[in-house]
Each structure stands twice: as structure tokens, then as C-alpha cells.
Amino acid sequence: MKKSLLLGAGLLAALVAAGTARAEEDLVLGYMMAKSGPYVSLANTNEVAVDMAVEEINAKGGINGRKIKVVKFDTAGDPKQATTAVRSFAQDAGALAIIGPFSSSEVRTTFPVGEREGISQMSMASSAPGLTKGFTYGFRNTTDEGKVIDQVLASLKDKKLPMATGAAAYATDDVVSKSIGTGVVPKMFEKYSIPSKGAVDFQLAAFDLSPQVAQLKQMAPDVVGLGSPPEGAITLAKELKRQGVSTRLIGGTTIADPELPKRMDGAGETLTIGTTFFPEVNDKTRAFAAEFAKRTKAAGLNRTDPNQMDASVYDIVYLYAEAMTRAGTTGDKAKLAAERAAVRDQVAKLKDVPALEGAISFADGDAVKPVYILEVKGGKWTLLDTRMPN
């Protein structure tokens, strides 16, 4: 009995050691989620897309013979929590790179921390202009709102749709929305020689936008550049319809909600936005959308249609996988700093990588990829145009 116990203990120790060795060989990615907090309606399904990508890659043998392992942290969209997550991934989890964070406000606090820690981050949603400037470890698989709205107006111009005059409407209590209304829209109107008739602003919590819409009605612009999350767009569109104001709302990725037309209850016809994902582009996007719907339904989530952020975060896993493959990443903890730097260098060099959203390259830390121009027609999103990168 004593001999048997000793052998059992020795075997157990060997198995634990072997398990530890295998765990050390995993290629660890940190994942900053926003499953709670102000971005939950857009971000709570992102985890499904990440898990899909990891399972697909690992099922095909992983990267350089090693599996990807994801360590998750819910930041709740809070910049302070996001900063804690970066340090935890870098110092405790031994992560090679980080998926996220979600928002522009988080990026502003975490990119400097990641630079000091020497670990890459790639945001799936932050779209305020210029966030990657000055950072070597900071990446975004997004297209900033200036470039997106530029492509929206370029499409309207090419299709000879009315855009002789414009106005802006924006939420003042959201960083990105305010920057769109006060910076991006005026700049783009100037670029396309669209005289501005003025601007209106509002709080996201406001239920009554009748005064703002009354002002827009007096201005009678052909297009209204909108800076707002989906909720503000819904309230504004419904009030425009109620007051009989016919103008084309235009916007960017902040209102790229697949369920937005349905949530507008018949308002918002001709609303036109730019986004980097549309599920009806090809067989690959349709297959992704079908599997995504299956998983989100099984998880009991309210939204089963993938949005731009779901597609973006799915592609981030694949982009890191491609970078790790090219870098020959091993997951050796003794080489962690060097392998993190190598992953960073390979991400920066990626060009025309086939992805769910289209071919993706990187320039100055930002993804360069197609922009799909969507228009609300008959209460649903329709593809108006596809704008390829220059």
C-alpha cells in the first residue's frame, strides 16, 4: 500500500509538471471585454466572436503547433479598470498581446500603459481620430470616424444624391459623438464644399428632441451629420418623422447597429452610414453570421445579428494569429519581452490579409480596410456602396 501511494504521488507530480509545461506553451492573449457598463448593447456579444475565432484556429492545429489561450477581463468600459487589465495581462498572465479595449476613452488611458509594458493592444471599436499617434504598441482594427464619414459623403457625391447644404447634430455627453459633431462633420462639409446651416446638440438621456428638430426644420439641410450612439439616432429620427422633416441623416460607425432600422419603428428612412462589416457581402460573411446567430441564441443573448464590433474582434484574433505565425512565436516565458516585440512588429507589417471584413492592412497603427456604405430602405439596412481603400 505504501509503495503504491508513493508511485501514485510520483505519477501525480509528473502529470502536474507535464500539464504546467503544456500550459506554458499556450500562446496567451488578454481580452478586455465591455460586457457591462455603457457599451454593453454593442459589446456584450463580442465574446462570442472571439471564442469562435479561437476555436477555429485551435481546431486547425493552432499557431506554430501551439494553442491560443484567451484570458478575459471585463472592464465595464471603465478606463481605470482597463488600465488594471493591461497591467494584469502584462505582469501576471504572461500575455503576448491584448484584444481591446473597446472605447476611445479606454484607449486614451491604456495605450500609454501598454507602451510602457511593451505589449500590443488592438481595439475593436474606438474610432475617435488620431488615437494611435505616437504609439508603437497601440493598434486599432477600426477606421476612424473622419475617414468613414468622408467615404459616406464621397458615395453620396458619386451617386449624385442631394448634398447641397448640411447641418450637424450631436450628443455633447459622449466623447466620440461630440468630436464628430464639432470636428469631423464641419471638416468634411468643408472638404466637399457643403455650406453648413448650423448645428444642434443634445444629451443622450433626453427624451424630447422637439426643439432641436424644430431648428433643423428651419435650416432645411439636405444632409445632417450625426454624432451619436444608436439611442440618440433613434430619438432624433423618430422626432424628425413626427415633425415631417425630410433630410438625410448621415453617420459613421457609432450607429452601426444591425438592429437600428427595426428599433426606429419606421423612422430613419435614407439614414446613411459607413461601417466596416455587412453580413450580406459574400459567403464567408453569411456563414459567420449564421454561426454567430446560432451561438448567441443558445447563450440567451438578446441580439443575434453580428455588428461591426463582433466582426472586428473576430478578425483581431486572426490578425494576431497571422502575426504570431510570421514571428515564429513559441510562448516561451523566458523570451516573452522579445516575442511581444516581434508580434508588434509583424502586426505593423500586415498587408492585405484576407479577413471577414475584407483585406486588412495597417498604416500608422490603424487598420486600412473597405468601408461599406449602408442606407435604410424599407425598414432595413441595404448596401448602397462599397468603398475600397485608396
Side-chain angles (χ1 to χ4, degrees):
M1 176 68 73
K2 185 175 181 181
K3 184 176 181 182
S4 177
L5 286 172
L6 287 173
L7 286 173
L11 180 60
L12 177 62
L15 289 171
V16 169
T20 302
R22 282 194 296 272
E24 288 177 352
E25 293 174 358
D26 287 339
L27 305 182
V28 178
L29 296 176
Y31 172 31
M32 283 189 272
M33 305 183 293
K35 288 187 70 175
S36 55
Y39 308 108
V40 66
S41 66
L42 296 172
N44 68 332
T45 55
N46 291 177
E47 184 181 15
V48 172
V50 168
D51 290 344
M52 283 175 60
V54 171
E55 288 175 22
E56 290 168 6
I57 293 167
N58 286 343
K60 295 175 184 176
I63 305 300
N64 304 323
R66 292 168 172 80
K67 303 287 187 179
I68 294 176
K69 176 183 176 182
V70 176
V71 179
K72 301 172 181 178
F73 190 115
D74 182 10
T75 69
D78 183 345
K80 291 182 180 178
Q81 288 298 312
T83 298
T84 300
V86 173
R87 293 197 176 105
S88 176
F89 293 147
Q91 298 173 12
D92 303 324
L96 287 154
I98 297 170
I99 304 163
F102 188 86
S103 68
S104 296
S105 56
E106 290 174 285
V107 162
R108 286 192 172 100
T109 64
T110 63
F111 274 17
V113 177
E115 200 74 15
R116 291 193 293 271
E117 296 286 351
I119 186 168
S120 296
Q121 298 167 70
M122 193 182 299
S123 177
M124 69 291 285
S126 61
S127 57
L131 292 180
T132 58
K133 187 176 181 180
F135 298 106
T136 62
Y137 283 91
F139 300 93
R140 297 189 297 176
N141 186 27
T142 60
T143 304
D144 79 44
E145 297 298 342
K147 295 176 182 177
V148 171
I149 293 175
D150 185 356
Q151 292 303 310
V152 171
L153 289 172
S155 180
L156 297 183
K157 181 180 179 181
D158 288 351
K159 293 183 178 299
K160 296 180 170 46
L161 294 170
M163 52 186 289
T165 61
Y170 61 92
T172 57
D173 50 348
D174 175 71
V175 173
V176 179
S177 299
K178 187 174 181 179
S179 72
I180 291 171
T182 61
V184 172
V185 170
K187 183 178 178 181
M188 289 299 108
F189 281 176
E190 183 178 351
K191 177 177 178 178
Y192 287 90
S193 301
I194 302 172
S196 175
K197 291 195 168 185
V200 298
D201 59 59
F202 54 89
Q203 297 282 306
L204 286 175
F207 292 104
D208 181 13
L209 295 185
S210 55
Q212 288 88 342
V213 170
Q215 292 180 57
L216 291 173
K217 189 173 185 177
Q218 281 191 326
M219 296 176 194
D222 292 315
V223 294
V224 174
L226 178 60
S228 172
E231 290 69 25
I234 293 167
T235 305
L236 184 65
K238 287 182 176 180
E239 183 60 28
L240 285 167
K241 182 181 180 182
R242 191 188 73 82
Q243 293 195 29
V245 181
S246 58
T247 184
R248 183 184 295 268
L249 292 175
I250 64 168
T253 63
T254 62
I255 49 177
D257 178 351
E259 296 186 338
L260 189 62
K262 181 171 66 176
R263 294 172 66 193
M264 285 179 167
D265 296 328
E269 284 290 295
T270 75
L271 166 67
T272 307
I273 68 166
T275 178
T276 56
F277 176 70
F278 185 57
E280 296 299 324
V281 169
N282 54 42
D283 289 342
K284 184 176 182 178
T285 58
R286 283 187 282 270
F288 168 79
E291 178 63 19
F292 181 90
K294 178 181 174 182
R295 292 185 180 221
T296 48
K297 184 176 181 180
L301 296 173
N302 291 330
R303 179 170 53 77
T304 59
D305 294 325
N307 65 18
Q308 172 184 294
M309 293 78 178
D310 298 315
S312 173
V313 80
Y314 176 90
D315 280 342
I316 287 173
V317 178
Y318 273 95
L319 291 167
Y320 275 144
E322 181 66 22
M324 289 190 291
T325 299
R326 295 185 186 188
T329 307
T330 66
D332 185 343
K333 298 299 183 283
K335 301 176 182 177
L336 186 56
E339 293 204 334
R340 284 173 174 169
V343 170
R344 181 267 319 264
D345 292 344
Q346 291 301 324
V347 170
K349 294 176 183 177
L350 293 178
K351 298 292 181 186
D352 296 324
V353 177
L356 185 67
E357 301 167 281
I360 296 177
S361 304
F362 281 89
D364 299 323
D366 281 341
V368 179
K369 53 188 177 179
V371 174
Y372 303 102
I373 310 301
L374 306 184
E375 180 184 35
V376 176
K377 270 190 175 181
K380 66 179 183 179
W381 288 120
T382 59
L383 185 63
L384 178 67
D385 197 6
T386 299
R387 311 293 297 187
M388 302 304 294
N390 293 328

